[in-house]
Amino acid sequence: MKIAIIGVGYVGLPSGVGFAELGHEVVCVDKIEAKIQALNEGKLTLYENGLEELFQKNIKTGRLLFTTDTKMAVQDADVVLLAVGTPQDPKTNEADLRYIYQAAKELAPFVTKYCVIANKSTVPVGTAEAVESIIKEHNPMADFDVVSLPEFLREGFAISDFFNPDRIVVGTEAPRAREVLEQLYAPFKDKTEMLFVKRRSSEVIKYASNSFLAMKIHYINEMANFCENAGADINEVAKGIGLDSRIGKKFLNAGPGFGGGCFPKDTNAMAKMAEKFGARLSLIETTIAKNYQRKADMAQRVLNALSSPKGKIAILGLAFKGGTDDVRESPSMEILYQLLPVAAEISVYDPKALENAKQELGEKVSYAQDIYEACQDAEVVAILTEWEIFRNIDLERLKSVMKTPNIVDLRNMLNAQAAKAAGFSYSCIGLK
Ligand code: UDX
């Protein structure tokens, strides 16, 4: 099938590569010329585990093209995927839909044969209807259906999630669109459930899923606070509750709060949407407020660990989670911003996110090329992102470079006993 993807970001790019790998002909469109040029030269514009190899393979086959020309991509397409950003509006906290509406308006004139326009961006209830009206308004003769096709890819696991989805949700009641989508996802037929629902239900499923997972993280973080006071160990508690298949063991890792391009924005958008529809969601509202507070609490923990008020702090991890270079709404970055006015010196290290962090932080911190350089002469090191390499820190070497051997492990990456045995003052989450 011929697929056009509008928006070449953390959703559009891995999806484009995935569909090309399945044998479809994919043309990805973005407005940023430099991005398209780099991709056409075979250079990836974001880091995602496992993407490079499939990207290189599929550009060589000619099944994966990149362009700034919407017409070229859309005019022959059987399916147009909208994968543009829906950032949080800073004034209203709602999803900002201007890029979706703009994309709909721009592609409308080029719908010259029947096609399905599928919304992959996370959008509030009723957006599919709005997109449909925009296209009709700008091209009254167009033959098309707009479906909601929520994307559940996780950053860092986008490729494995693409090929092994838990489910494929399609919001449409149009038989023709259903047929096209069944064809698009034919390779998954015997592997995963394809759920056809109303468009509005599909739009809710995405927000309800992300909000539920965010609440689960908030729950385990609060339980971690409780364990600290009650003399229990959150790692053991999480394992014990997670073995109940009704609860499940995923998303029970206590940490510094959730972040990223999705959970913070989607919980806010869900809460606002609920308010609008007159059915407030108190659990989600609490989750948002407490997640915000958690980052302030975590910054205070790092400061409390400093032996002198003007000591050097080393930060390990800037990405919002391991496996990505993305620093959007990263708990690590937010904690860092709270430390900046009070800390004398901050040195940072992240295996993939240094460049993105630099664009935000500029000269405010020093950037190290490895763990030990970051920790040189530091009075405390804070582990803020769950990168696997932090698990294997050489504790003896770390101790030899630090001014005082002091670890605040906000991702529970290290073995508490081993760290203490190596002579560190060690604190983590949910265990005293
Ligand atoms: C999320 C959804 O998981 C995905 O289905 C959707 O398509 C997009 O939003 P993503 O933003 O890539 O994916 O990150 P995710 O792995 O869900 O983690 C979000 C945040 O929660 C991160 O800051 C992460 O560190 C934190 N987290 C996650 C925890 O603190 N504990 C956990 O147990 C899991």
Side-chain angles (χ1 to χ4, degrees), residues 77-306:
D78 302 300
V79 181
V80 179
L81 300 178
L82 298 179
V84 297
T86 50
Q88 188 171 323
D89 183 316
K91 284 200 194 100
T92 63
N93 285 350
E94 291 173 282
D96 179 351
L97 297 177
R98 86 179 78 165
Y99 303 110
I100 286 276
Y101 293 158
Q102 201 180 338
K105 194 170 143 188
E106 282 174 17
L107 71 86
F110 310 121
V111 179
T112 46
K113 64 179 191 68
Y114 176 74
C115 79
V116 173
I117 294 156
N119 204 350
K120 276 220 162 283
S121 307
T122 304
V123 290
V125 171
T127 304
E129 288 149 51
V131 167
E132 190 171 290
S133 303
I134 292 171
I135 296 172
K136 274 189 188 144
E137 186 194 328
H138 289 86
N139 183 355
M141 302 303 286
D143 186 15
F144 68 101
D145 282 301
V146 176
V147 310
S148 160
L149 187 64
E151 185 50 75
F152 301 101
L153 300 181
R154 288 165 301 161
E155 284 181 31
F157 298 90
I159 292 299
S160 81
D161 284 353
F162 180 90
F163 290 104
N164 306 287
D166 283 343
R167 77 295 208 194
I168 295 159
V169 176
V170 187
T172 184
E173 289 171 280
R176 238 188 339 169
R178 182 178 173 137
E179 235 172 74
V180 170
L181 268 293
E182 276 172 344
Q183 215 184 319
L184 179 68
Y185 285 103
F188 297 96
K189 197 165 174 267
D190 300 320
K191 264 175 52 171
T192 189
E193 179 156 352
M194 208 162 165
L195 184 68
F196 286 92
V197 295
K198 286 181 186 169
R199 284 198 300 205
R200 286 190 167 227
S201 306
S202 171
E203 287 167 337
V204 175
I205 286 170
K206 176 61 199 268
Y207 279 115
S209 300
N210 273 0
S211 300
F212 185 85
L213 292 170
M215 287 192 303
K216 199 172 176 187
I217 298 167
H218 161 59
Y219 176 80
I220 204 68
N221 285 343
E222 246 183 9
M223 199 53 74
N225 289 346
F226 171 74
C227 286
E228 286 166 16
N229 290 0
D233 176 342
I234 192 64
N235 301 310
E236 293 174 352
V237 171
K239 194 164 185 192
I241 61 176
L243 285 170
D244 183 330
S245 60
R246 292 170 303 175
I247 295 174
K249 37 187 170 194
K250 293 181 182 161
F251 279 69
L252 285 180
N253 295 318
F258 57 78
C262 294
F263 283 1
K265 136 181 115 60
D266 293 349
T267 43
N268 270 297
M270 179 82 239
K272 282 285 155 194
M273 197 161 57
E275 215 177 300
K276 267 194 177 162
F277 281 93
R280 287 182 73 160
L281 294 164
S282 61
L283 289 176
I284 296 177
E285 287 178 11
T286 306
T287 298
I288 295 165
K290 294 288 183 177
N291 191 57
Y292 187 72
Q293 180 60 41
R294 184 152 185 90
K295 287 169 277 189
D297 295 346
M298 295 299 117
Q300 195 54 52
R301 283 193 192 198
V302 179
L303 287 175
N304 291 348
L306 272 180

